[in-house]
Amino acid sequence: MTKQMAAALGIAALSLEKQQEVIVKFGEIALKAATLSIIGKLTEEKRSEFMTLADQGDEAAVKAFLDRELPDHETLASQAVGEEIRRFKEAGGA
């Protein structure tokens, strides 16, 4: 998985330790971007419900909610992550 992410981010030439560090930091950014993309598509009422479920930490309930309320949530998240990869590369990576 590290090799795939390193290749996607264009950081394969870095040491394994540095790759892992960058991937962890990038993962945090990508997760935030994906979450914001999804939240942005929900109504205010549904955002509140989503946040309550997320705060409870019940991943199955969050997924069920998103499957019901925003069936294309996985596509939205994937697009947001793809955009963050593009920005990362444009900024020069690590």
Side-chain angles (χ1 to χ4, degrees):
M1 179 68 133
T2 299
K3 285 183 181 182
Q4 292 172 326
M5 279 301 299
L9 294 173
I11 59 169
L14 297 176
S15 70
L16 183 59
E17 183 179 319
K18 185 66 174 172
Q19 287 177 21
Q20 291 172 336
E21 180 182 318
V22 170
I23 289 168
V24 167
K25 288 180 183 176
F26 177 80
E28 293 170 2
I29 293 167
L31 179 60
K32 287 178 186 174
T35 302
L36 289 173
S37 175
I38 290 168
I39 289 174
K41 297 288 184 178
L42 296 171
T43 65
E44 190 64 38
E45 178 183 325
K46 296 298 178 182
R47 284 182 199 156
S48 177
E49 187 177 345
F50 172 82
M51 295 306 293
T52 298
L53 291 171
D55 287 345
Q56 292 171 353
D58 185 345
E59 292 178 28
V62 170
K63 180 161 179 13
F65 170 82
L66 290 175
D67 287 346
R68 181 181 69 247
E69 299 298 331
L70 197 60
D72 64 340
H73 66 92
E74 290 178 359
T75 299
L76 291 169
S78 181
Q79 290 171 342
V81 171
E83 178 64 18
E84 289 306 314
I85 289 172
R86 183 189 65 73
R87 287 181 185 163
F88 181 85
K89 286 181 174 180
E90 284 181 359

